[in-house]
Amino acid sequence: METANNKRKVAIICSHGGLDEVYPALILGNAARQSGIDAFVFFTFWGLDAITTSKVDHLHVNLAGNAASGMPTILGGLPGMESFAASMMKKQMTELDLPTVKEMLQILEESGAELYACELAMKMFKRTREDLLPQVKDVITAGDFYDLAEGAQIIFT
Amino acid sequence: MDTTDTNKALAQVLARLDAIDARLDQIVDRQKKSDELFSEMTPILRDVMGTATTRLDELDKKGYFAFGREALGVADRVITGFAPEDVRQLGDAVVGILQTVRALTQPNVLEIASQASEVLERSEQAEPLGLIGMVRATRDDDVQKGMAVMMDVMRHVGRAARAVRDEHRPSAADEKKAKLAGVLGPRKKKALGVERQLPPTVAPRAAAPANLGPPAACAVPSSKPREVAAVIDGVAFGADGHLVDPKVWTEEIAVKVAAVQGVELDESRWAVVRFARADFVATNVSPNIRRITQGTSLATKDIYTLFPKAPARTVARIAGIPKPAGCI
């Protein structure tokens, strides 16, 4: 079993910045490392928020258009609703002893998973390397992503 | 609710939205007018502030006597213009007034005032802002801070205003409120504009095996019955490579399993294995990596250095306990 895992590798693309969209990417990456699978996470578009120092602690939950939230879309769009939902979710995560996004990123980096930011998205959102958390290994292009992901299973979240 | 009701309700909502829109237009207009006034006033205000600072500075340098002489001049004029009772009241207030002026002319306060006036000077460059824009602006950290400061100022102004009013006389509204409070009980106090407490960046690590609470609910394993896949030297292993019965574990088994896993058990690895074993005995749950880092003084990085492949599982196999469950 371990020998099979030796060759396994996952490339996770995180393209959304909602709390509920960032966690799956980070948990999958961490679970891969815990199972002895090589992993790296590529943050692009709104996913960049998760590795941006000023944004990482303020990720929200997207309610509008989320059928599973149990809340009518028209209510989900009200100002303050997203922060409310995010704080509720954060509370439940604390109860489960789930690390914060920032801690998760640190755990990922320490466990040997690599974190990359998308160069194009960085230009689009006018962010520089200094805006990103120190855990981010590099800013790469889509082409670099495919070089890194050679032989990996690709997961898009 | 049938369709006509819904339509009526929608029409009402729309009418109300129209009213809000009209009111917003008014507010924006008024804002524009006051902006013009501010831009005219800004240079004058700056001058006045600059002069005020230098004047106070001079007074400070000259000291008490020069100041007293000035004050005597003032007093002279006051005596001719006011009744003795008025003067006594002014005398009581003078210290407060001076303290306020001094507080207002502190360099950091002036810095804020000067920055704000610079913004007002550039006011024609500012884009008109709608309701959505206003909400978006509140996501900016600086705007949030500014709002907190403004709220605090407003709270103090309100408190002072109430104090002044209470000093004079209890108003009819107050009596009404008191009556209501008697019926409804005390009102809940809301903390408005209190600055949000940011969570600490990273939780501090326990320096030594700490008293950990019970494991998180998501880490509790399923209670499926375990099947024996192989018996080696009289010890039963499951298909996942973990001991079927944790109770038969000995240190010799640990050494042998570690050899199969490709790790040599030195003292630091033994410490991790012993913690995992003890934690399992205490809670009946195999610790995951996060719990191991919390229970030992090791960082996640160290755990991966000691057990490079699937650390929590490797530790659990060596410690003779079930495969750790949970996602973290």
Side-chain angles (χ1 to χ4, degrees):
Chain A
M1 193 169 64
E2 294 291 282
T3 43
N5 279 349
N6 277 343
K7 287 171 191 161
R8 275 185 79 183
K9 186 176 177 185
V10 289
I12 299 163
I13 303 168
C14 177
S15 67
H16 290 103
L19 201 60
D20 52 331
E21 292 154 322
V22 168
Y23 262 108
L26 302 183
I27 289 173
L28 281 176
N30 188 39
R33 288 303 300 136
Q34 290 191 351
S35 310
I37 302 170
D38 280 347
F40 73 90
V41 190
F42 181 61
F43 294 89
T44 184
F45 276 81
W46 307 110
L48 274 186
D49 279 5
I51 49 169
T52 304
T53 315
S54 60
K55 306 249 180 190
V56 62
D57 291 324
H58 308 293
L59 299 182
H60 284 180
V61 182
N62 190 13
L63 287 174
N66 181 354
S69 76
M71 187 179 280
T73 292
I74 193 156
L75 285 182
L78 289 176
M81 270 305 191
E82 291 187 346
S83 314
F84 173 71
S87 69
M88 289 296 287
M89 194 172 272
K90 277 179 186 160
K91 204 178 139 200
Q92 290 192 333
M93 283 169 170
T94 319
E95 276 167 19
L96 282 176
D97 192 28
L98 215 60
T100 64
V101 172
K102 214 171 190 175
E103 282 177 279
M104 278 297 287
L105 289 166
Q106 189 169 2
I107 290 171
L108 269 173
E109 195 233 3
E110 288 191 11
S111 70
E114 289 164 355
L115 310 175
Y116 294 101
C118 169
E119 195 188 287
L120 182 64
M122 292 276 285
K123 281 182 185 157
M124 266 184 60
F125 292 110
K126 299 201 169 38
R127 286 185 198 160
T128 61
R129 187 68 184 76
E130 284 70 44
D131 297 328
L132 303 180
L133 291 168
Q135 282 86 12
V136 178
K137 192 176 177 194
D138 207 353
V139 179
I140 61 170
T141 64
D144 298 335
F145 168 81
Y146 275 116
D147 290 345
L148 283 167
E150 194 182 332
Q153 291 164 308
I154 298 178
I155 303 169
F156 194 98
T157 67
Chain B
M1 197 190 276
D2 60 7
T3 345
T4 44
D5 276 353
T6 320
N7 283 340
K8 257 185 221 161
L10 266 178
Q12 277 177 352
V13 169
L14 282 176
R16 247 174 251 170
L17 277 178
D18 279 345
I20 290 171
D21 197 35
R23 230 172 283 164
L24 264 179
D25 280 346
Q26 268 181 0
I27 290 169
V28 169
D29 269 340
R30 210 178 296 164
Q31 182 64 34
K32 270 184 193 157
K33 273 177 204 156
S34 57
D35 278 353
E36 281 163 19
L37 177 70
F38 271 127
S39 59
E40 280 172 19
M41 288 290 284
T42 309
I44 303 170
L45 273 176
R46 253 217 215 134
D47 257 304
V48 169
M49 258 174 218
T51 336
T53 337
T54 43
R55 186 66 54 82
L56 269 180
D57 196 39
E58 277 168 26
L59 287 179
D60 250 357
K61 274 178 195 158
K62 280 178 192 162
Y64 184 80
F65 286 106
F67 187 78
R69 218 180 303 134
E70 289 280 338
L72 272 176
V74 175
D76 199 42
R77 255 170 280 161
V78 168
I79 285 164
T80 51
F82 292 90
E85 181 59 26
D86 291 334
V87 180
R88 201 170 303 131
Q89 275 178 2
L90 187 72
D92 290 345
V94 139
V95 177
I97 291 168
L98 284 177
Q99 274 172 349
T100 312
V101 171
R102 179 171 283 251
L104 277 174
T105 48
Q106 288 303 301
N108 47 354
V109 178
L110 278 183
E111 175 65 23
I112 293 170
S114 127
Q115 295 241 353
S117 57
E118 262 170 44
V119 174
L120 290 175
E121 213 168 24
R122 287 184 272 116
S123 60
E124 68 250 52
Q125 292 168 22
E127 297 280 320
L129 207 60
L131 189 60
I132 308 276
M134 222 162 79
V135 172
R136 197 174 296 147
T138 57
R139 291 176 68 169
D140 185 285
D141 280 353
D142 293 337
V143 173
Q144 284 180 4
K145 179 84 186 163
M147 268 161 51
V149 173
M150 285 305 199
M151 287 291 177
D152 209 30
V153 170
M154 270 159 75
R155 191 170 330 114
H156 278 85
V157 170
R159 201 178 292 159
R162 200 171 48 191
V164 168
R165 189 192 59 194
D166 289 351
E167 214 171 273
H168 288 307
R169 61 186 165 80
S171 68
D174 270 348
E175 279 165 21
K176 218 175 185 182
K177 249 188 217 165
K179 244 186 226 170
L180 263 177
V183 180
L184 296 172
R187 269 173 75 182
K188 266 188 199 170
K189 262 195 187 166
K190 270 188 195 168
L192 264 178
V194 174
E195 208 180 326
R196 251 188 295 164
Q197 288 259 315
L198 294 179
T201 47
V202 171
R205 295 184 195 288
N211 282 336
L212 286 173
C218 70
V220 176
S222 65
S223 50
K224 271 184 269 173
R226 296 173 49 74
E227 283 174 21
V228 177
V231 179
I232 303 162
D233 295 344
V235 182
F237 288 89
D240 52 10
H242 294 259
L243 277 191
V244 172
D245 182 8
K247 288 190 198 80
V248 303
W249 180 85
T250 60
E251 296 204 347
E252 288 76 53
I253 294 176
V255 174
K256 279 180 192 163
V257 173
V260 176
Q261 294 288 312
V263 290
E264 194 189 319
L265 283 177
D266 55 12
E267 199 38 55
S268 47
R269 291 194 177 93
W270 263 120
V272 177
V273 170
R274 286 204 189 94
F275 165 76
R277 183 83 201 163
D279 196 46
F280 177 80
V281 170
T283 63
N284 211 24
V285 175
S286 299
N288 52 32
I289 297 177
R290 186 161 159 80
R291 202 170 162 82
I292 294 175
T293 57
Q294 286 165 347
T296 64
S297 53
L298 295 166
T300 311
K301 208 179 203 163
D302 307 328
I303 311 260
Y304 275 92
T305 314
L306 292 173
F307 305 95
K309 283 281 168 189
R313 277 196 209 171
T314 309
V315 170
R317 283 200 189 111
I318 298 171
I321 57 182
K323 183 173 139 184
C327 297
I328 307 301

